[in-house]
Amino acid sequence: MSADVTPRGYHCESQQRILGVLMSLFGREIEGISPSHIAKANNITPANTTRDLWNLERAGLIERLPGSDRVRISPRLGSKALATLAAFDQAQRQLTDLQARYTRQQ
């Protein structure tokens, strides 16, 4: 939300920061990304990056690549995204069926 439409007291810098960290992981599902690159990309301190990554990992939204400091979105988050796409597909099929039923000539 932009500042001019955000209700007073709704903006939380730490939540915005952690969402930015999470968004910076998309597209790097294979090779992951290092915490230092995340910090630079989001213009945040290494300490905040470490804290945010810890919280995202604890929530099951990211995972650390074995033998490295790199992180990526977790299979859990990926499966949730796929489930959302499947729900959209199901809704589209239902809408298509309903449209066909309403447009049939009697």
Side-chain angles (χ1 to χ4, degrees):
M1 286 186 145
S2 64
D4 57 325
V5 295
T6 303
R8 186 178 180 152
Y10 275 48
H11 182 79
C12 178
E13 197 61 41
S14 63
Q15 290 177 353
Q16 294 300 311
R17 187 185 67 236
I18 202 166
L19 290 170
V21 167
L22 184 60
M23 294 303 291
S24 66
L25 299 176
F26 285 94
R28 294 175 174 89
E29 290 79 5
I30 304 301
E31 74 281 1
I33 186 172
S34 70
S36 63
H37 282 102
I38 293 169
K40 288 176 188 169
N42 291 282
N43 197 29
I44 57 178
T45 66
N48 281 337
T49 303
T50 299
R51 181 182 306 111
D52 292 345
L53 292 175
W54 185 89
N55 280 290
L56 289 167
E57 186 175 20
R58 176 114 190 225
L61 300 177
I62 68 165
E63 65 181 9
R64 297 189 185 274
L65 275 69
S68 128
D69 69 337
R70 298 172 82 79
V71 294
R72 63 181 170 202
I73 61 169
S74 70
R76 177 180 177 210
L77 186 57
S79 68
K80 294 290 185 183
L82 291 174
T84 299
L85 291 175
F88 287 154
D89 287 342
Q90 177 63 29
Q92 182 63 54
R93 285 190 297 275
Q94 289 173 334
L95 287 170
T96 300
D97 179 56
L98 188 59
Q99 182 181 26
R101 290 177 52 216
Y102 275 85
T103 57
R104 284 186 203 138
Q105 295 203 357
Q106 298 291 326

